[in-house]
Amino acid sequence: MWRDKPPGLKILWVWTLGTAAVLVANVVRTRMRDMDTLMNNTEQHHHQQQQAAAADTETLLLPESDQVIREEKSS
């Protein structure tokens, strides 16, 4: 059946399938980039929250003992 088709129609099918493959690849690449950006923003936000929580608590180590004193800063 494929052998009975004219060469122009075969070229048209190859062109169509190739174009579809390129479009699908571009969509997948864009989605992956967006997902990566979202993941990086989430990690960065989580890291900033941890830094803010650490900044709210001061830890003092007394030189003559092994005791740790923590003070909560009031905002």
Side-chain angles (χ1 to χ4, degrees):
M1 181 172 175
W2 184 251
R3 293 180 188 179
D4 299 337
K5 302 293 181 191
L9 186 59
K10 292 178 186 178
I11 291 170
L12 183 61
W13 272 108
V14 169
W15 182 275
T16 303
L17 294 175
T19 302
V22 168
L23 291 174
V24 168
N26 283 337
V27 168
V28 168
R29 188 177 336 142
T30 302
R31 298 291 174 137
M32 292 296 287
R33 190 176 334 132
D34 291 345
M35 183 68 72
D36 189 39
T37 302
L38 180 65
M39 296 285 284
N40 287 340
N41 287 343
T42 303
E43 285 180 14
Q44 185 178 15
H45 181 68
H46 182 66
H47 185 65
Q48 287 174 350
Q49 282 181 338
Q50 286 179 340
Q51 285 180 343
D56 287 345
T57 304
E58 272 187 30
T59 304
L60 301 174
L61 183 60
L62 299 176
E64 63 273 354
S65 69
D66 292 333
Q67 294 178 350
V68 175
I69 299 174
R70 289 195 173 134
E71 293 180 6
E72 292 290 329
K73 290 183 180 179
S74 58
S75 299

